[in-house]
Amino acid sequence: MSTFGQIFRVTTYGESHCKSVGCIVDGVPPGMSLTEQDIQPQLSRRRPGQSKLSTPRNEKDKVEIQSGVEFNKTLGTPIAMLIRNEDQRPHDYNDMDNYPRPSHADFTYLEKYNLKASSGGGRASARETIGRVAAGGIAEKFLKQVSNVEIVGFVSQIGSVKMDRDPFDPKFHHLLNTITREKVDSIGFIRCPDVNLAGAMVQEIEKYRGNKDSIGGVVTCVVRNLPTGLGEPCFDKLEALLAHAMLSIPASKGFEIGSGFQGVSVPGSKHNDMFYFDEETQRLRTKTNLSGGIQGGISNGENIYFSVAFKSVATISQEQETCTYDGKPGVLAAKGRHDPAVTPRAIPIVEAMTALVLTDALLIQKSRDFAKSITH
Amino acid sequence: MSTFGQIFRVTTYGESHCKSVGCIVDGVPPGMSLTEQDIQPQLSRRRPGQSKLSTPRNEKDKVEIQSGVEFNKTLGTPIAMLIRNEDQRPHDYNDMDNYPRPSHADFTYLEKYNLKASSGGGRASARETIGRVAAGGIAEKFLKQVSNVEIVGFVSQIGSVKMDRDPFDPKFHHLLNTITREKVDSIGFIRCPDVNLAGAMVQEIEKYRGNKDSIGGVVTCVVRNLPTGLGEPCFDKLEALLAHAMLSIPASKGFEIGSGFQGVSVPGSKHNDMFYFDEETQRLRTKTNLSGGIQGGISNGENIYFSVAFKSVATISQEQETCTYDGKPGVLAAKGRHDPAVTPRAIPIVEAMTALVLTDALLIQKSRDFAKSITH
Amino acid sequence: MSTFGQIFRVTTYGESHCKSVGCIVDGVPPGMSLTEQDIQPQLSRRRPGQSKLSTPRNEKDKVEIQSGVEFNKTLGTPIAMLIRNEDQRPHDYNDMDNYPRPSHADFTYLEKYNLKASSGGGRASARETIGRVAAGGIAEKFLKQVSNVEIVGFVSQIGSVKMDRDPFDPKFHHLLNTITREKVDSIGFIRCPDVNLAGAMVQEIEKYRGNKDSIGGVVTCVVRNLPTGLGEPCFDKLEALLAHAMLSIPASKGFEIGSGFQGVSVPGSKHNDMFYFDEETQRLRTKTNLSGGIQGGISNGENIYFSVAFKSVATISQEQETCTYDGKPGVLAAKGRHDPAVTPRAIPIVEAMTALVLTDALLIQKSRDFAKSITH
Amino acid sequence: MSTFGQIFRVTTYGESHCKSVGCIVDGVPPGMSLTEQDIQPQLSRRRPGQSKLSTPRNEKDKVEIQSGVEFNKTLGTPIAMLIRNEDQRPHDYNDMDNYPRPSHADFTYLEKYNLKASSGGGRASARETIGRVAAGGIAEKFLKQVSNVEIVGFVSQIGSVKMDRDPFDPKFHHLLNTITREKVDSIGFIRCPDVNLAGAMVQEIEKYRGNKDSIGGVVTCVVRNLPTGLGEPCFDKLEALLAHAMLSIPASKGFEIGSGFQGVSVPGSKHNDMFYFDEETQRLRTKTNLSGGIQGGISNGENIYFSVAFKSVATISQEQETCTYDGKPGVLAAKGRHDPAVTPRAIPIVEAMTALVLTDALLIQKSRDFAKSITH
């Protein structure tokens, strides 16, 4: 459904062609300074129209806080936020009405809800993610205050152009330790921190744009400075919550944490993260981090890092041989311009969902911390 | 936490060295015939000691239904099931007590709960999964009755020995269409349906066993005959629930559905699953199935298929250079024999978690089906 | 928190002095015709300023549907609704700022959230209930379509003026069988269906208004035509959900269903509702209905009826000897005019919460109905 | 369903005629000393057969902890507990098989689940409550450690014999301040702290027993030493959670907190609890406590007190003119001896459910406390 989280909880609403999209964030820490300026940057990063690589629809996506804040301080009560839908253009899609768009949600929404929204699969629209990103802004600000938690996503693959994500490679971990959003954005809208690859990725996208086609990509995300102890075994292991969050993002097809699918072929003797005592932080740390910062479903204080696969966008201008709702074969081509590669724009969504998961897990763990302080 | 599902809901309990492990299954359809014989087969498939490839601990794992069944019929009330822990041997682990086992949950459980269980990370034990498998037996039986839903998992990779899982390859889809548990088990405990690769996989495992080491693997799972409409956007998309379920299984590090990470480099024009009208079933189907049976978070009636990466087992008999809880460097080696590759035994767990996700999603969708029948 | 319900789920937001109040309704049946005209009537019934008996603040409370509806049909996606706060007047309360208002939520909100909102206990404001009433409008419309479910609340007590609510009295049951909202409202804003008592109640209120005081009351509510089978034992018995819902309404102090507190002194031989076969409906019914339409936590098809006690409003203009936040004794008197008796305005809130409980329970039961149809 | 609570969560199972009844308690504070001796006392207080006033069935109800405890310390993992059903006697009910027992759950369970359990309404059995009481033992022990929280229930009414529960009466509050379980039990099984009334109550019960009839009662419960800040507006106000919990107990028909239904006729000027600064505890307290320790849904540090109405037991030996499942009129009389008044035995159930609500609310609030400490 449209609610996510247990004691820090987000509920979103809205599709492409309604009055507004937005969310209610419940369980917000009280007394936190908060204005729309805290929320807007990630919304703007998510926004289409940031470069020629993305769709030219010029949505403004200005967030308006409705409740839960007084004199720029959170009250602890639910914070509702809305972002108006300005560029609705519902008639753009008229010609396609008889066709369920291939690999889009038109057919499944019809099966589930027995209706065809003018926007096709209503909540399968990318605009659905705006509420998530707005909510993530609050979560991120809180995590920053708790322990300077940093969440940074970047593009690690576009089509066949792929950064090495070798969990044994110190360079990869150096990147994870040092990458910032500023660096990610400084490379341009492609948001790949490897400057050489970034150019190849842009070319890859341009190639598919020229063909009226689209292409997928991978977002890799790192979380630094997270406290230990987060995650609630056995079903709500921290990686399980992250996987849930990531696979709920439109077009995502895969998730891997730490060594991921590569780790399968690494023997235990190499895959195990040996412990050592770190003099600087005066605590146990691990020499390697194949685990990706989570062991037994619980954060261990090392960097959390994971990757999310995004398939190529389903809406393409190329002609497609498919059939109508009533089974007649035909040719369908989307009108208008379409974003050939949404992966770079998925970054703030990945970051937001990460922040939502971590804030909820952290707040629950703080309760566990209290409990164990009492009983010992 | 230890509860999973909304209206079909499972709660598990138990660790390695307590009296029993088990579960309570709530929201069970009433009037279903059910005996322990429905539950036992998957428990036995999960059990260690089935072949020389796995650990020799000879646990019996006999399930005992405690409630919710009368005269072999479910009452609709919660079904509690317990499986006694017979082979506890808590002293086996004594020498390791000063060391947090690398890449196990000892350290994180200490951080989270402030204690060291004699079994290390209590619920990180593989025995925790018994309750899931028991519950899955009920779910599977129900799904079978609803629409002959079939869930079949198999090993598609051990270490570097890898089956091709090409989503464009008709052979792969033929396998997904025809594979059965009987076939999977007929190959031996390795449970890889490719007879040639099965041998290589066994050799791979034996190699690591010889080195007192361990190795990971991938389980691929297919779901056939599932109705359309399952999944609750936007946060409870069906693939998100499956990802949550799979990443909650101990040692899992990755999940991909349909084309997964491979799909990233396939352009939209090829990745899109075109529709056609299927004369046999008299409904729309897709020519290809790169989506993996889910579009927009909702099942579309095609096969659902996904893969789960399992890292190599953390407990190995090889000496490991690590450190004690209080930071002193030292060498640790687990005593006793240990399973060098648990991936084949993960299959019934993957199948069980799949069944739990689908039963809950299906029951919720039946409510949606009612609602839409009223309002039209 | 601010979310209520399992598969039909409402999340509300907003306090007195923010931009808007409202809600997101999730799990809405798709294909239902819906406009703002379906929502507005109950909001208007809840609105202050309807008569001289209530507060003169003239809020408009116009609902604006933001999402989830297209061409006046629900999409099955979340429906967000907002109602702007027009009459904020935050300075009215300035003089009271040093005092936690007695029996209001100022003190407990400070304890919980560590802050003083300009509106005192932010979400303890009566405006919080607007989102509930808006959501209830959708639920009621659906229940009506399912089986003509009727929910009617009325005032059965104001101060010491009390209608007889004898569960043995055929007259009382006749009232429950026949009362409609039209009749309730025809009596005037007091909303007591007993014309004679209505006058006495008005006098009771006027007496307290004259003293700058306030007085409480009881709302009794009946549900007719509800299907059997609703309610999920053992913790989510239907009466438990109703009790939860009712005690979540501001100022409510008690709930009783069927014979309630009176039933305590009735022996089982009289209290038991004997069965008979009803020729008209061709099903088992009960001769009496002391149970209040629920047995074992599950609806039995008879009228559900219950009563909710509301204490006198805490905000009064009379001087009160209390103390400041820092413990100094002093005298506090609220400025402005205040509603001396909110019980009549609580009716649409009681009705809305009832509709939310029943819709969720009904949708879940429809899933159970499917399950049992399969397994038999 | 059969799960209660958010981060301290109980799931129960079991009916009269299965192998065992019990529960899984999840989210248990780790490191707490716990043995079966902590759980047994309340189970024994709940047990029938404690005096001639109650049913002679001599159930042992010995709890067996299955998991989550090692060396008498909680692990933080789920604690499963089971209590075997020794005295099953399923054949006792044979003659009644054609009749849905009036005001029992046989009919509604048939409607909901489409079957007749040999025990009639399976989970409507009083044995269902054993799991709750076992779980409550853990919760109570934790609350005691946190701030010496004391929860004491007592019988305040049996049939027409009624203690005065006047919220203005200092004597009543003196009782609430001083009553202990030891005192309650010292009076005998009737558990009414007013010695004179206790005798009259025993006579009242004997009168109905003589008539093969039954009679209801009221349990009043007080909570002392609870911290401020508990409760999660707006839907999870502390009184709403308590009401939910209490109305989920079999045979309960009403709940009132603080002044309750009596408070309706008390004007605001008298009902408002004025504040003063308490030198002893150095904090704000209220002069009166009509609110019952909760304001705006949040605990204010005063005693919480509430009452729960229990109807007369439905199972009586007297002949009842009712009808069979297929609608034929007939006369039904339960065989065997039956408890004419279960109210005294409901006390440990009321106390347990109270403890479950408070532990969950307290753990959540500790998380809120952390959050506000960070953001200020």
Side-chain angles (χ1 to χ4, degrees), chain C residues 104-122:
Chain C
H104 212 287
D106 302 357
F107 173 70
T108 51
Y109 268 64
L110 178 65
E111 290 291 299
K112 186 173 187 72
Y113 299 115
N114 202 20
L115 53 80
K116 303 173 202 170
S118 80
S119 45

Side-chain angles (χ1 to χ4, degrees), chain A residues 183-308:
Chain A
K183 282 188 204 167
V184 166
D185 283 354
S186 70
I187 298 140
F189 185 62
I190 196 71
R191 289 177 177 155
C192 170
D194 182 319
V195 184
N196 299 327
L197 284 182
M201 286 178 179
V202 171
Q203 286 175 25
E204 182 89 345
I205 293 176
E206 287 304 325
K207 182 178 76 181
Y208 289 106
R209 178 196 306 281
N211 294 338
K212 298 183 178 178
D213 210 340
S214 64
I215 193 64
V218 172
V219 171
T220 296
C221 184
V222 62
V223 180
R224 294 188 292 260
N225 304 330
L226 194 71
T228 61
L230 277 62
E232 294 281 310
C234 61
F235 291 118
D236 298 327
K237 292 189 168 85
L238 194 55
E239 64 268 52
L241 298 175
L242 287 168
H244 186 145
M246 294 308 139
L247 267 294
S248 79
I249 301 176
S252 66
K253 302 299 286 182
F255 169 87
E256 58 179 7
I257 185 155
S259 62
F261 280 89
Q262 293 178 69
V264 160
S265 52
V266 179
S269 56
K270 288 192 180 167
H271 198 285
N272 282 356
D273 295 318
M274 307 304 169
F275 289 100
Y276 73 101
F277 186 77
D278 182 54
E279 294 294 340
E280 191 183 328
T281 54
Q282 288 288 307
R283 60 180 181 84
L284 286 199
R285 295 197 50 189
T286 62
K287 299 176 192 174
T288 52
N289 182 13
L290 280 285
S291 300
I294 304 176
Q295 288 170 332
I298 299 165
S299 63
N300 69 354
E302 304 299 320
N303 287 345
I304 290 178
Y305 63 96
F306 56 86
S307 294
V308 187

Side-chain angles (χ1 to χ4, degrees), chain C residues 124-316:
Chain C
S125 155
R127 280 195 76 74
E128 169 267 310
T129 60
I130 290 178
R132 307 176 183 227
V133 173
I138 297 174
E140 284 200 310
K141 183 152 191 184
F142 177 66
L143 290 170
K144 198 91 182 172
Q145 290 186 31
V146 171
S147 64
N148 197 30
V149 174
E150 295 172 329
I151 302 168
V152 184
F154 54 89
V155 169
S156 63
Q157 185 174 350
I158 292 287
S160 54
V161 184
K162 185 178 175 179
M163 276 179 65
D164 199 28
R165 307 193 299 263
D166 181 356
F168 283 106
D169 185 352
K171 274 191 223 160
F172 179 61
H173 288 284
H174 178 72
L175 175 71
L176 297 179
N177 279 328
T178 56
I179 188 76
T180 63
R181 289 191 190 164
E182 291 66 34
K183 282 189 203 167
V184 166
D185 284 354
S186 71
I187 298 140
F189 185 61
I190 195 70
R191 289 176 177 155
C192 170
D194 183 317
V195 185
N196 298 328
L197 285 182
M201 287 177 179
V202 172
Q203 286 174 25
E204 182 90 345
I205 292 175
E206 287 304 325
K207 181 179 76 181
Y208 289 105
R209 180 195 306 279
N211 293 338
K212 299 182 178 178
D213 210 340
S214 65
I215 193 64
V218 173
V219 170
T220 296
C221 184
V222 63
V223 180
R224 294 190 291 260
N225 303 330
L226 193 72
T228 61
L230 277 62
E232 293 281 310
C234 61
F235 292 118
D236 298 328
K237 293 190 168 83
L238 195 54
E239 64 268 50
L241 298 174
L242 287 168
H244 186 146
M246 296 308 140
L247 268 292
S248 79
I249 301 176
S252 67
K253 303 299 286 182
F255 169 86
E256 58 179 6
I257 185 155
S259 63
F261 280 90
Q262 295 178 69
V264 160
S265 51
V266 179
S269 56
K270 286 192 181 167
H271 197 286
N272 282 356
D273 295 318
M274 307 303 170
F275 288 101
Y276 73 100
F277 186 78
D278 182 54
E279 293 293 340
E280 190 183 327
T281 55
Q282 287 290 305
R283 61 181 181 83
L284 286 200
R285 294 197 52 190
T286 62
K287 299 176 193 174
T288 52
N289 182 14
L290 281 284
S291 300
I294 303 176
Q295 289 171 332
I298 300 164
S299 64
N300 70 354
E302 304 300 320
N303 287 346
I304 290 179
Y305 63 97
F306 55 87
S307 294
V308 187
F310 291 94
K311 72 179 177 87
S312 47
V313 181
T315 307
I316 56 176

Side-chain angles (χ1 to χ4, degrees), chain A residues 13-272:
Chain A
Y13 75 90
E15 42 271 319
S16 307
H17 300 96
C18 60
K19 281 197 182 172
S20 66
V21 297
C23 64
I24 298 173
V25 190
D26 199 7
V28 177
M32 185 164 71
S33 75
L34 189 82
T35 73
E36 279 130 355
Q37 272 63 51
D38 293 305
I39 310 299
Q40 196 63 48
Q42 287 287 81
L43 284 176
S44 298
R45 287 182 92 209
R46 194 214 72 91
R47 192 152 57 95
Q50 298 174 59
S51 86
K52 64 171 185 174
L53 293 181
S54 63
T55 164
R57 295 199 304 168
N58 187 20
E59 295 162 302
K60 298 296 193 330
D61 290 352
K62 291 287 177 204
V63 64
E64 302 170 35
I65 293 175
Q66 297 295 304
S67 66
V69 177
E70 224 176 64
F71 305 119
N72 298 336
K73 289 271 184 184
T74 58
L75 296 173
T77 59
I79 296 182
M81 294 185 279
L82 71 79
I83 296 92
R84 287 165 208 280
N85 277 335
E86 296 184 352
D87 183 11
Q88 300 193 359
R89 303 195 303 183
H91 299 297
D92 243 349
Y93 293 89
N94 272 359
D95 296 353
M96 300 155 56
D97 279 2
N98 293 323
Y99 290 89
R101 287 169 295 168
S103 289
H104 212 288
D106 303 357
F107 172 69
T108 51
Y109 268 64
L110 178 64
E111 289 292 300
K112 186 172 188 72
Y113 299 114
N114 204 20
L115 52 81
K116 303 173 202 173
S118 81
S119 47
R123 291 278 281 169
S125 156
R127 279 195 76 74
E128 170 267 309
T129 60
I130 289 178
R132 306 176 184 229
V133 173
I138 298 174
E140 284 201 310
K141 183 153 193 184
F142 176 67
L143 290 169
K144 199 91 182 172
Q145 290 186 31
V146 171
S147 65
N148 196 30
V149 174
E150 295 171 329
I151 303 168
V152 184
F154 54 89
V155 170
S156 63
Q157 185 173 349
I158 292 288
S160 55
V161 184
K162 184 178 175 179
M163 275 179 65
D164 199 28
R165 306 193 300 262
D166 181 356
F168 285 105
D169 185 351
K171 274 191 225 161
F172 179 60
H173 287 284
H174 178 74
L175 175 71
L176 296 180
N177 279 326
T178 56
I179 188 76
T180 62
R181 288 190 191 166
E182 290 67 34
K183 282 188 204 167
V184 166
D185 283 354
S186 70
I187 298 140
F189 185 62
I190 196 71
R191 289 177 177 155
C192 170
D194 182 319
V195 184
N196 299 327
L197 284 182
M201 286 178 179
V202 171
Q203 286 175 25
E204 182 89 345
I205 293 176
E206 287 304 325
K207 182 178 76 181
Y208 289 106
R209 178 196 306 281
N211 294 338
K212 298 183 178 178
D213 210 340
S214 64
I215 193 64
V218 172
V219 171
T220 296
C221 184
V222 62
V223 180
R224 294 188 292 260
N225 304 330
L226 194 71
T228 61
L230 277 62
E232 294 281 310
C234 61
F235 291 118
D236 298 327
K237 292 189 168 85
L238 194 55
E239 64 268 52
L241 298 175
L242 287 168
H244 186 145
M246 294 308 139
L247 267 294
S248 79
I249 301 176
S252 66
K253 302 299 286 182
F255 169 87
E256 58 179 7
I257 185 155
S259 62
F261 280 89
Q262 293 178 69
V264 160
S265 52
V266 179
S269 56
K270 288 192 180 167
H271 198 285
N272 282 356

